[in-house]
Amino acid sequence: MTLTWTGDAATATQLAELAEGHSCDLRPAEEEGAVVLTVVVIDEDLQRLRDTVDALLVSFDTIESDE
């Protein structure tokens, strides 16, 4: 599963820190002054994959909601 987020560097850093706790592959890039953070989640078990992605989305929402 691949999640892609675009925004400012400070928020990207916070999101990357959260994703690292979930053993994800992080691929930050910069495009036109914004950071594009791609988070790749791989798991052999579909339920664990779904649980990890759900947890990431909830965590990411918390960061974006605090802004």
Side-chain angles (χ1 to χ4, degrees), residues 18-35:
L18 285 172
E20 286 174 354
H22 293 279
S23 300
C24 301
D25 181 24
L26 300 173
R27 300 176 188 164
E30 192 169 326
E31 290 183 11
E32 300 177 10
V35 175

Side-chain angles (χ1 to χ4, degrees), residues 27-52:
R27 300 176 188 164
E30 192 169 326
E31 290 183 11
E32 300 177 10
V35 175
V36 178
L37 181 63
T38 302
V39 180
V40 180
V41 183
I42 299 172
D43 201 311
E44 293 179 6
D45 182 82
L46 185 58
Q47 185 61 51
R48 275 194 315 254
L49 176 70
R50 186 179 304 129
D51 291 345
T52 300

